C-alpha cells in the first residue's frame, strides 16, 4: 500500500483530534459569512447633516424635507448659526453642513438662480464623497421638480436635454449582497486554507517530529501531498457550507453551474495550499509562518478586487493583482454566480490558475529539504 | 536485514568538519573528526553539552551534510546513498519527537508503515519494551510520563529492525532506575546484533559501553575501551575529605603541586602535577591514594585540552 495513505490517515486523525481547529474551520466561516455581508455594506446611510437655514421660506423648507425624507441623511441640527454647525463637525457629530442663504426663495423666483453651500467633513473619505454625491443628486432632482412646477412648458424644449436611462445587467436591483457574498466566500476559504497549511509543516518542525520523519525513507512528494490533500478536502467542504449559507440566508443560487465553481475552487485551493506549504517550509516556527501568512493575506485581500475595484488601480498595481490568486477566483465567482458563465468563458482564469498551481507546488516540494 | 560480520565496520568517519555560520560568526561544531565503530558493538559518545554530539548524530543519520570529510554508515556513503541508508538506521533524537496527539499504538504503527513494515512483523524485537507500555497503548503520547515517552521513542526507532541504532542523549533527564533499565535494554538489543551508537553527557555511563569516545569542542579527545582508557591514566590521584570541604577546595586550588582539584561525591579528588609530589593538608583532613575511575580520566582529559 502507498505510504501516502498512512500519512493521510495520520493527518486526518490529528486534525479531528484538535477541536479548536474544527471550530476554526467550520464555525468561524459560518459566522463571518452571515455577519460580514450584513454589516460591511457599501451603501452609506445615516449621514449626519446640519442644515443652516437663513431663509426660512417654503422653498427651503421643502428642500430640507426632501433631504431628510431620502433615508440617507439624518438631520442633527437645524439652525441659522454657522459657528454652531461647525462645532458639530469638529465634534464629529455632523458629516455635512448645508447652508441655505438668505433670500434663497426670492432669488430663485426673481433671478431664476441661487446658490447653496455644502461643507463636507472629509475625515472619512468614503462617507464624505458619497454624502456629497447623494446631496448633489437630491438638490438636482429638487431643482428639476422646481422647474417643472414653475416654468410654463413651451411647445418644444428650449434647450436640448439628454436624459440617460440605465438598466443594471446581471444584478438588476444592484443587490449589494449578491455581489459581496461570493467574494467573501472566496476570502474565507483562502484564509482557512492558507493558514492551516502554513502552520502545518512548521508545527512538525517545532515539535521536532520532522526529524523523525526525515530519517525515514518516505518520499518528499508523498509527504507534501499528505499535508496538502486533507486541507484540500476541508477547503472544498468549507466552500460547500458557504454555498449552502449563500442559498439559505441570502437566496443566492449561481446562474452558472456549481460544477464550474467546484472545479475552479479545486484548482484554486491547490494554489492557496501550495503558498501555505511554501511559507511553512521556509519558516522556522509557527509565529513566523503566521506573520508572513497574515501579511500576504492582507495584500491579497485588499488588492483582490473585493473591496476596491482593480480597474481603478494604477497600472503597476494592476500588474501586481495579476499575481494575486484571490482576484481570479473572485472574478470567476462573480462571472459564474451573476452572469452564468461557463468553463469556456472562464478559460483564461482556469489556465492561469492551473499554471500557478503547478509552479507553486513544484516549488514547495523542491524547497522542502529532508536534509540540511 | 543480514547480520554484519563481527569485524566489519558499521561506521567509518573520516576527517569530518562541520561549522555553522550565524551572522558573521562562524562556529565550528565538528573539527576534523575521525573514528570507526565495529559492527555489533555498543559505542558511547561522551561529552558535555555543546560538544558537537548532536551535530555528529545528524551527520551520521544523513540529516546534515558535513562541510568536509566522508562518512560511511553500514557501508553506505551518507551523502550519496542516504536513500538506502534511511531504511537501515533507527534514530532517536534527544528531544521527544513523536506525535503527541497520536496514541502509543498509532505512533508505532505509523512509523512502521513509513518503513513499509508492520508492527506485527517486528514485534519480537520490541516485545520487552512494548509490554511495559502496552497498558497505556491507547493513551496519547503527549500524556505519557518521561520514562514512558522514552520507551515509546525507542520502540518507534526499532520498529523497522534497523542494523544501526542512533540514540541521542537517551538518558538525559531520566531517573536513575529508568536509566539502569534503559542500559539493560541496550545490552539486549546489542545481543540481537544491532550496532548501537549512544551519546550521553553522563560519564558514569561510559563503562557500560564497549567503546567510548570523549568529545569536546568538536574534537575527539580519546577513543578506546573503557578499561584501556582507565589504564592509560598515569598520574597520581588522591581522594580527600575534611569537615570544611569548601575551605579545603580553596586551599588546595592554591597549592602549586596540585594540577587540578574537583569535588567528587563526598570527597575532593586531587590530581598531582608530579607522581611523587607531596602537599600540605589541613589537620582534620583525611587523604587517600585511589585508582582513578573513568570520570577522573575524562575530567583530566577535558581539563588538559581546555587549557
Amino acid at each position: 500500500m502507498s505510504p501516502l495513505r498512512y500519512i493521510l490517515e495520520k493527518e486526518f486523525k490529528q486534525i479531528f483530534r484538535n477541536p479548536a481547529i474544527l471550530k476554526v474551520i467550520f464555525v468561524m466561516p459560518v459566522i463571518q459569512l452571515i455577519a460580514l455581508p450584513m454589516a460591511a455594506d457599501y451603501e452609506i446611510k445615516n449621514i449626519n447633516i446640519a442644515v443652516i437655514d437663513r431663509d426660512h421660506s417654503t422653498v427651503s423648507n421643502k428642500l430640507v424635507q426632501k433631504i431628510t425624507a431620502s433615508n440617507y441623511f439624518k438631520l442633527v441640527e437645524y439652525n441659522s448659526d454657522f459657528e454652531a454647525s461647525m462645532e458639530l463637525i469638529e465634534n464629529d457629530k455632523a458629516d455635512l453642513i448645508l447652508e441655505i442663504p438668505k433670500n434663497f426663495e426670492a432669488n430663485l423666483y426673481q433671478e431664476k438662480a441661487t446658490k447653496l453651500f455644502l461643507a463636507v467633513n472629509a475625515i472619512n473619505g468614503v462617507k464624505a464623497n458619497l454624502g456629497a454625491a447623494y446631496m448633489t443628486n437630491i438638490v438636482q432632482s429638487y431643482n428639476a421638480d422646481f422647474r417643472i412646477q414653475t416654468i410654463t412648458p413651451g411647445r418644444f424644449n428650449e434647450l436640448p436635454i439628454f436624459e440617460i436611462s440605465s438598466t443594471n445587467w446581471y444584478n438588476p436591483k444592484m443587490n449589494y449582497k449578491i455581489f459581496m457574498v461570493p467574494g467573501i466566500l472566496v476570502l474565507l476559504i483562502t484564509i482557512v486554507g492558507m493558514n492551516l497549511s502554513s502552520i502545518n509543516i512548521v508545527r512538525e518542525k517545532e515539535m521536532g517530529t520532522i526529524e523523525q520523519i526525515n530519517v525515514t525513507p518516505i518520499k518528499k512528494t508523498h509527504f507534501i501531498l499528505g499535508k496538502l490533500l486533507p486541507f484540500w478536502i476541508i477547503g472544498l467542504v468549507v466552500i460547500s457550507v458557504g454555498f449552502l449559507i449563500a442559498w439559505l440566508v441570502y437566496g443566492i443560487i449561481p446562474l452558472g453551474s456549481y460544477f464550474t465553481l467546484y472545479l475552479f475552487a479545486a484548482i484554486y485551493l491547490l494554489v492557496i495550499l501550495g503558498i501555505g506549504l511554501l511559507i511553512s517550509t521556509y519558516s522556522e516556527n509557527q509565529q513566523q509562518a503566521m506573520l508572513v501568512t497574515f501579511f500576504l493575506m492582507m495584500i491579497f485581500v485588499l488588492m483582490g478586487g473585493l473591496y476596491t475595484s482593480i480597474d481603478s488601480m494604477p497600472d503597476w498595481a494592476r500588474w501586481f493583482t495579476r499575481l494575486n490568486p484571490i482576484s481570479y477566483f473572485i472574478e470567476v465567482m462573480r462571472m459564474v454566480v451573476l452572469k452564468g458563465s461557463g468553463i469556456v468563458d472562464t478559460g483564461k482564469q482556469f489556465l492561469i490558475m492551473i499554471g500557478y498551481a503547478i509552479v507553486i507546488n513544484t516549488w514547495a516540494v523542491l524547497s522542502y529539504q529532508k536534509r540540511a | 536485514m543480514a547480520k554484519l560480520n563481527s569485524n566489519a565496520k558499521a561506521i567509518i568517519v573520516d576527517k569530518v568538519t562541520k561549522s555553522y555560520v550565524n551572522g558573521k560568526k562562524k562556529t565550528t561544531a565538528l573539527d576534523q573528526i575521525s573514528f570507526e565503530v565495529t559492527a555489533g558493538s555498543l559505542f558511547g559518545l561522551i561529552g558535555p553539552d555543546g560538544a558537537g554530539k548532536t551535530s555528529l548524530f545528524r551527520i551520521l543519520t544523513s540529516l546534515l551534510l558535513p562541510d568536509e570529510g566522508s562518512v560511511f554508515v553500514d557501508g553506505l556513503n551518507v551523502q550519496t546513498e542516504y536513500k538506502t541508508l534511511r531504511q537501515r538506521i533507527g534514530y532517536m533524537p534527544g528531544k521527544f519527537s513523536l506525535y503527541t496527539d497520536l496514541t502509543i499504538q498509532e505512533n508505532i504503527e505509523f512509523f512502521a508503515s513509513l518503513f513499509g513494515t508492520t508492527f506485527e512483523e517486528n514485534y519480537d524485537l520490541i516485545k520487552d519494551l512494548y509490554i511495559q507500555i502496552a497498558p497505556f497503548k491507547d493513551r496519547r503520547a503527549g500524556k505519557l510520563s518521561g520514562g514512558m515517552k522514552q520507551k515509546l521513542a525507542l520502540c518507534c526507532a526499532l520498529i523497522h529492525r534497523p542494523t544501526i541504532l542512533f540514540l541521542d542523549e537517551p538518558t538525559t533527564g531520566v531517573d536513575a532506575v529508568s536509566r539502569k533499565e534503559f542500559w539493560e535494554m541496550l545490552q539486549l538489543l546489542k545481543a540481537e546484533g544491532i550496532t548501537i551508537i549512544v551519546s550521553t553527557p553522563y560519564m558514569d555511563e561510559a563503562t557500560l559501553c564497549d567503546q567510548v569516545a570523549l568529545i569536546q569542542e568538536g574534537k575527539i579527545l580519546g577513543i578506546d575501551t573503557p578499561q584501556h582508557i582507565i589504564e592509560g591514566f598515569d598520574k597520581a590521584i588522591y581522594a580527600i575529605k575534611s569537615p570544611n570541604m569548601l575551605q579545603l577546595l580553596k586551599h588546595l586550588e592554591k597549592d602549586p603541586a596540585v594540577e587540578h582539584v574537583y569535588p567528587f561525591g563526598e570527597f575532593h579528588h586531587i590530581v598531582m602535577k608530579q607522581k611523587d609530589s607531596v602537599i600540605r593538608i589541613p589537620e582534620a583532613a583525611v587523604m587517600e591514594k585511589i585508582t582513578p575511575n573513568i570520570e577522573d580520566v575524562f575530567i583530566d582529559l577535558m581539563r588538559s585540552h581546555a587549557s
Side-chain angles (χ1 to χ4, degrees):
Chain A
M1 260 178 284
S2 161
L4 181 60
R5 222 205 70 184
Y6 298 110
I7 298 178
L8 284 178
E9 205 181 298
K10 175 215 124 205
E11 291 293 328
F12 272 115
K13 266 183 199 156
Q14 288 187 298
I15 291 168
F16 288 108
R17 278 186 194 167
N18 189 340
I21 278 201
L22 282 182
K23 270 177 215 150
V24 170
I25 294 173
F26 293 107
V27 180
M28 294 291 283
V30 170
I31 293 172
Q32 291 192 0
L33 204 56
I34 292 173
L36 275 182
M38 307 259 196
D41 195 322
Y42 276 145
E43 266 185 70
I44 290 189
K45 284 179 184 156
N46 304 325
I47 301 168
N48 296 320
I49 183 166
V51 174
I52 307 165
D53 191 352
R54 299 192 199 275
D55 199 41
H56 293 289
S57 61
T58 330
V59 179
S60 74
N61 238 325
K62 273 188 183 162
L63 179 63
V64 174
Q65 267 173 29
K66 201 172 163 74
I67 290 166
T68 49
S70 72
N71 261 333
Y72 291 111
F73 296 100
K74 219 166 86 188
L75 190 65
V76 288
E77 182 77 8
Y78 184 77
N79 60 16
S80 44
D81 180 11
F82 188 82
E83 294 294 318
S85 302
M86 201 56 212
E87 220 179 279
L88 285 176
I89 286 219
E90 279 164 4
N91 294 333
D92 213 21
K93 288 194 178 110
D95 304 303
L96 284 180
I97 302 177
L98 178 72
E99 190 177 356
I100 303 169
K102 220 179 161 88
N103 302 326
F104 179 70
E105 186 177 27
N107 284 344
L108 206 55
Y109 280 112
Q110 287 158 19
E111 294 172 27
K112 305 274 178 229
T114 185
K115 282 175 179 167
L116 282 171
F117 173 74
L118 191 61
V120 184
N121 176 4
I123 283 194
N124 182 339
V126 181
K127 207 172 181 184
N129 255 333
L130 283 172
Y134 291 158
M135 182 57 83
T136 317
N137 254 328
I138 290 169
V139 172
Q140 263 171 9
S141 108
Y142 180 80
N143 195 8
D145 287 349
F146 184 79
R147 280 170 72 168
I148 291 164
Q149 281 167 28
T150 52
I151 296 170
T152 8
R155 200 188 163 91
F156 301 102
N157 273 335
E158 283 160 41
L159 293 166
I161 293 171
F162 285 102
E163 202 187 332
I164 300 167
S165 57
S166 57
T167 12
N168 299 313
W169 275 86
Y170 308 124
N171 190 0
K173 288 180 188 160
M174 286 284 269
N175 185 340
Y176 169 82
K177 282 166 189 138
I178 294 183
F179 172 78
M180 279 309 271
V181 171
I184 289 177
L185 185 54
V186 171
L187 294 194
L188 285 179
I189 67 159
T190 313
I191 294 171
V192 170
M194 209 153 131
N195 265 312
L196 287 181
S197 60
S198 74
I199 58 171
N200 194 284
I201 291 187
V202 124
R203 188 155 164 267
E204 298 232 3
K205 280 189 200 170
E206 268 188 6
M207 306 263 295
T209 47
I210 201 139
E211 288 276 271
Q212 203 86 69
I213 290 282
N214 284 350
V215 287
T216 68
I218 184 141
K219 289 198 176 68
K220 278 202 282 187
T221 326
H222 284 153
F223 184 67
I224 295 272
L225 267 181
K227 291 281 168 198
L228 205 128
L229 283 177
F231 298 124
W232 185 76
I233 294 166
I234 287 171
L236 289 178
V237 173
V238 170
I239 206 167
S240 308
V241 173
F243 284 143
L244 192 70
I245 291 171
W247 172 59
L248 286 177
V249 181
Y250 303 101
I252 299 171
I253 298 167
L255 270 179
S257 72
Y258 275 113
F259 175 76
T260 318
L261 287 177
Y262 271 104
L263 193 64
F264 197 87
I267 303 167
Y268 174 77
L269 275 169
L270 287 182
V271 175
I272 289 303
L273 297 176
I275 294 176
L277 289 182
L278 203 54
I279 294 172
S280 207
T281 53
Y282 281 107
S283 308
E284 272 155 33
N285 50 49
Q286 295 195 38
Q287 197 181 29
Q288 274 181 16
M290 300 257 285
L291 263 180
V292 175
T293 313
F294 189 76
F295 280 120
L296 266 185
M297 278 300 304
M298 198 153 142
I299 296 171
F300 282 177
V301 169
L302 289 180
M303 298 191 77
L306 180 64
Y307 294 112
T308 43
S309 167
I310 292 174
D311 295 319
S312 55
M313 290 178 189
D315 270 346
W316 61 265
R318 284 211 318 248
W319 270 101
F320 182 78
T321 59
R322 282 179 201 177
L323 288 173
N324 185 349
I326 287 189
S327 70
Y328 293 102
F329 197 17
I330 288 182
E331 209 180 337
V332 168
M333 193 71 130
R334 283 178 181 159
M335 280 168 83
V336 177
V337 172
L338 295 173
K339 217 158 105 180
S341 305
I343 294 183
V344 181
D345 308 295
T346 49
K348 192 190 100 185
Q349 285 86 347
F350 264 99
L351 287 179
I352 292 172
M353 267 307 110
I354 291 170
Y356 213 139
I358 293 172
V359 171
I360 290 287
N361 287 296
T362 315
W363 187 4
V365 171
L366 291 180
S367 66
Y368 163 57
Q369 292 295 337
K370 280 181 78 177
R371 47 178 21 201
Chain B
M1 214 61 66
K3 257 190 193 180
L4 292 160
N5 68 55
S6 58
N7 45 21
K9 296 291 173 210
I11 293 173
I12 303 167
V13 175
D14 189 31
K15 297 197 185 70
V16 163
T17 299
K18 177 76 195 174
S19 48
Y20 298 102
V21 181
N22 197 349
K24 276 178 187 165
K25 223 179 114 209
K26 195 172 158 185
T27 325
T28 306
L30 297 173
D31 190 6
Q32 296 278 322
I33 278 194
S34 302
F35 65 90
E36 288 176 352
V37 177
T38 314
S41 66
L42 178 53
F43 185 88
L45 198 59
I46 321 274
D49 292 335
K53 297 191 298 289
T54 300
S55 293
L56 184 57
F57 265 70
R58 287 171 57 86
I59 288 175
L60 290 172
T61 50
S62 81
L63 288 172
L64 195 68
L65 287 172
D67 297 339
E68 288 167 37
S70 64
V71 180
F72 287 87
V73 174
D74 204 2
L76 299 165
N77 187 327
V78 292
Q79 295 181 55
T80 53
E81 294 168 292
Y82 59 91
K83 279 185 183 153
T84 329
L85 178 67
R86 283 175 182 166
Q87 282 282 5
R88 300 198 203 162
I89 55 171
Y91 175 41
M92 182 175 147
K95 187 186 153 203
F96 180 72
S97 49
L98 296 172
Y99 293 98
T100 50
D101 42 5
L102 296 184
T103 64
I104 287 187
Q105 195 66 28
E106 284 164 346
N107 264 303
I108 299 179
E109 280 171 4
F110 175 66
F111 281 100
S113 64
L114 287 188
F115 285 97
T117 176
T118 58
F119 169 68
E120 290 78 19
E121 207 174 310
N122 292 318
Y123 178 68
D124 59 303
L125 182 67
I126 60 163
K127 197 177 145 223
D128 293 335
L129 268 171
Y130 183 75
I131 48 173
Q132 296 177 51
I133 52 173
F136 314 100
K137 68 184 165 82
D138 293 321
R139 196 182 281 188
R140 294 191 190 176
K143 299 225 161 78
L144 294 172
S145 68
M148 291 283 172
K149 277 183 180 169
Q150 186 211 30
K151 280 169 191 149
L152 172 62
L154 190 56
C155 276
C156 288
L158 283 169
I159 193 62
H160 58 292
R161 199 176 278 277
T163 44
I164 303 180
L165 182 63
F166 292 92
L167 305 166
D168 192 6
E169 300 201 11
T171 51
T172 301
V174 174
D175 68 73
V177 178
S178 298
R179 265 170 68 184
K180 192 167 162 286
E181 275 175 23
F182 192 82
W183 278 93
E184 280 163 8
M185 182 66 213
L186 293 189
Q187 297 296 344
L188 289 177
L189 290 172
K190 199 189 107 181
E192 293 270 343
I194 299 175
T195 310
I196 302 166
I197 319 294
V198 58
S199 76
T200 176
Y202 304 125
M203 294 183 236
D204 54 319
E205 290 180 348
T207 43
L208 301 166
C209 302
D210 295 333
Q211 218 179 20
V212 285
L214 181 69
I215 180 168
Q216 192 186 22
E217 288 171 355
K219 288 194 179 77
I220 288 186
L221 305 184
I223 180 166
D224 215 329
T225 61
Q227 196 54 41
H228 282 146
I229 285 182
I230 295 171
E231 282 165 13
F233 188 79
D234 58 351
K235 291 174 185 167
I237 181 161
Y238 297 87
I240 187 166
K241 194 180 170 184
S242 92
N244 193 339
M245 294 297 276
L246 186 65
Q247 206 186 8
L248 178 67
L249 186 70
K250 282 181 179 158
H251 169 79
L252 289 169
E253 272 170 349
K254 283 186 212 132
D255 198 304
V258 171
E259 185 164 327
H260 38 253
V261 55
Y262 46 90
F264 196 101
E266 54 182 328
F267 296 93
H268 290 322
H269 282 190
I270 311 166
V271 178
M272 299 296 181
K273 274 183 184 150
Q274 256 89 46
K275 265 200 155 174
D276 47 357
S277 53
V278 185
I279 53 166
R280 268 190 54 235
I281 53 164
E283 272 172 30
V286 187
M287 193 162 92
E288 187 187 357
K289 190 164 179 170
I290 54 167
T291 42
N293 61 29
I294 197 137
E295 293 196 56
D296 292 314
V297 185
F298 283 158
I299 289 170
D300 181 63
L301 271 172
M302 282 160 64
R303 297 230 173 169
S304 47
H305 275 84
S307 55

